[in-house]
Every structure is written in structure tokens, then in C-alpha cells.
Amino acid sequence: MYELVVMPLTEFWDLGAEDPQELQEALEALQGALSEQVGSPVKWSEQGTQETYESDTLDPFCVHALRALAAWVDVHGDLQGFELGETPWEHDVFGALDEEEGSKKFPQLVHSDADVAVFAPVDLPGVYFMGPEDEDEADEEEEEMEELAVGSVTRLGAELDALNEHLKLQGDIDELPDDVVFDSDEDPLAAPKYAWAVLRAAVKRASAQKLPLILYFDASMYSDDDEPHEHEE
């Protein structure tokens, strides 16, 4: 499953045994690497306001369904002809986007497919993948490191709002009436709509708290026989 949480990145990294100074240095190193890629200073402060942070869970099917839908709108301009299919992470539309050198309208949504996606409280034009610079170091740490993508929570919110011009939801998951049901049997777009509603609410919290929104894949929630992308009704 995917977990969404709004919290300082340093606290997300902290497993209870890390030196706070080392965590801060790791954050500054990440921000420095981002600054080099972007070509201008990238920096945000992290002031935790809670001992525990509210989290949400999303089925991988829903997350990938939302990405496929965003990619379709990017390529075609509307939802006419869009069919989700049983494996949205393999949707043909992603190939069409590759031919156009990636998503122009929804890069935060489409290109943040990683083990850990951090949407920082800064303005970043795209999504940036972080990893060790040295190939030997990468080989040594391959089993320990998780793929990290860094984007912008501000731009993610703008992309979600633009996408809602096509989904036409009346609010995020915190704003919708309790009796609203996302049922794939009644609405073929129920999965991406649910992901949109949950993600938009998380963006709202992150923007209010000026903290990163972290979307990460929690493999511990699956047994060895489970399919990570299988949609659970």
C-alpha cells in the first residue's frame, strides 16, 4: 500500500537512533543537490508541530490510476476515450508521453513514481530523483537505499486542481459528504477520483503546515504471495 504523511523529512528518516545533527546535514545535502539540478537555491525549514502525524493509505491501483488519467488528459486534452484497464501502471498512454518527452501539464503527478516521493514546500518546476553520485557507492548501498523523488507540494496542488476540471469532484476527502461512495462498479473512474480526493486533502494539510508531503510504498503490508499492484475492493 501507499502511505501519505505530512511531516518533516528529517523525522521521516529518523528511526529513533539517528543523530539529529546528521539528519539535518542529510537534509541540507539533499537541498544542495536539488539546488544544483534546478539552478537556483532550494531550501525549506522543518519545524515539527506534532509528536505524531496523521497519515492516509492508498491502494497502489488508485495511485497508478490517477497517474494514468493525468497522463491521458495531458496527451488528449480531455477524458474522452479513456479506459483505465486492469493494469493502469502499464497504460499505453505512458508510451505516448515518452514520445513527447514527458508530461508538460502534470509532471508532479506523472513523474513521481518512486519508492518515496517527497513533495517539498517549495516551488520546483519538475520532479528530481536523488541517489548516490558514485556508481560503486550505489552498488554497495543498492539494497539499503530507497528510490527518492522530490517534487513541489505547491505545484502538485495546482496540478490536482487543473485535473479536477475534468473529474469535477466537489471537494477533497475532508470536504465531501460522508455518504459519498467511490464504487468502481458504478463509476469506472472511482479509483482515480478517490486517489485525487485523498491526495488533495493531504496537499492542503502540507500547505497549511509548510511541511513536506511524503508518499511512500510500504511493502511490509504485503505477504510474499501478494501482488503489490493488485486493487483491493
Side-chain angles (χ1 to χ4, degrees), residues 102-172:
S103 175
K104 303 298 189 296
K105 296 179 180 178
F106 307 106
Q108 302 290 329
L109 276 170
V110 175
H111 299 307
S112 56
D113 188 5
D115 294 329
V116 179
V118 178
F119 298 98
V122 290
D123 186 25
L124 297 173
V127 176
Y128 302 87
F129 287 80
M130 301 287 109
E133 297 180 0
D134 183 83
E135 291 185 4
D136 293 334
E137 181 184 352
D139 291 339
E140 292 175 1
E141 299 183 4
E142 182 176 359
E143 295 184 359
E144 299 179 6
M145 290 191 63
E146 293 179 313
E147 187 179 33
L148 176 67
V150 184
S152 165
V153 72
T154 305
R155 297 224 180 185
L156 176 61
E159 289 182 15
L160 290 169
D161 290 344
L163 194 59
N164 198 38
E165 294 178 11
H166 305 276
L167 293 176
K168 302 188 184 305
L169 286 165
Q170 299 304 307
D172 61 44

Side-chain angles (χ1 to χ4, degrees), residues 57-140:
T57 302
L58 277 175
D59 189 304
F61 185 94
C62 297
V63 174
H64 291 290
L66 181 62
R67 288 184 174 132
L69 186 145
W72 182 275
V73 172
D74 202 335
V75 172
H76 298 281
D78 55 36
L79 289 176
Q80 184 174 355
F82 177 70
E83 294 183 3
L84 189 55
E86 296 182 356
T87 55
W89 48 91
E90 297 176 342
H91 203 289
D92 291 342
V93 73
F94 293 117
L97 267 187
D98 289 341
E99 294 179 2
E100 298 184 10
E101 299 183 350
S103 175
K104 303 298 189 296
K105 296 179 180 178
F106 307 106
Q108 302 290 329
L109 276 170
V110 175
H111 299 307
S112 56
D113 188 5
D115 294 329
V116 179
V118 178
F119 298 98
V122 290
D123 186 25
L124 297 173
V127 176
Y128 302 87
F129 287 80
M130 301 287 109
E133 297 180 0
D134 183 83
E135 291 185 4
D136 293 334
E137 181 184 352
D139 291 339
E140 292 175 1

